[in-house]
Amino acid sequence: QVQLVESGGGLVQAGGSLRLSCAASGRTFSRNDMGWFRQAPGKEREFVAAISRSGDRTYYAGSVKGRFTISRDNVKNTVYLQMNSLTPADAAVYYCAAARGPLSGGVDFWGQGTPVTVSS
C-alpha cells in the first residue's frame, strides 16, 4: 500500500508560480511511476504530467508542456510539480498518482488532492 500526501497548493495570480509536492509512504516509491492529474469544477479528471520510476522519462499534457516540470527525489520519496506561467485555466484540484507499472496502464494509488486557484 502506498499513501500519497500532496502539499503546496494555494492561491496565485495569473503569471505566477507554484510548486506542488507529493510525499509517498512505503518502501516501493522508487519502483512506482508517478504522476499528477487535475480536476476542475464540472470537468473530468485529466492527466497533467508523469515521470518514470528512475526519473529519466517525463511526459506532459499539451496544455502544460513548457510551463510545468515534474521531478522526483527517490531518497525523499517525493515527487514535485513546478508550475510556472499559471493561468486561470490551470485552476483545479491537483492529485498525485502512483502506478506499479506505466502510469498509462492505470493508477493504483491516489492522493487526496491539493487545490490550486489562479486569479486573473
Side-chain angles (χ1 to χ4, degrees):
Q1 190 75 7
V2 175
Q3 291 186 325
L4 306 173
V5 179
E6 301 99 331
S7 61
L11 172 64
V12 64
Q13 287 189 332
S17 299
L18 279 176
R19 188 174 84 152
L20 306 182
S21 299
C22 172
S25 67
R27 300 179 180 181
T28 63
F29 180 77
S30 63
R31 298 200 292 269
N32 295 126
D33 280 16
M34 301 295 297
W36 290 93
F37 291 72
R38 67 186 182 186
Q39 188 168 17
K43 296 187 177 181
E44 292 190 354
R45 191 171 298 189
E46 64 175 1
F47 168 77
V48 175
I51 188 166
S52 62
R53 56 198 64 188
S54 65
D56 61 338
R57 296 186 305 275
T58 57
Y59 310 89
Y60 296 94
S63 58
V64 307
K65 199 168 187 179
R67 299 188 298 122
F68 290 13
T69 302
I70 188 170
S71 61
R72 66 189 295 162
D73 185 330
N74 285 349
V75 174
K76 295 182 178 179
N77 280 13
T78 301
V79 63
Y80 304 97
L81 186 67
Q82 178 67 43
M83 306 186 295
N84 299 328
S85 302
L86 286 160
T87 75
D90 296 313
V93 177
Y94 282 72
Y95 296 91
C96 180
R100 296 186 184 94
L103 204 66
S104 58
V107 174
D108 294 300
F109 306 101
W110 291 99
Q112 84 287 351
T114 185
V116 171
T117 304
V118 183
S119 63
S120 57

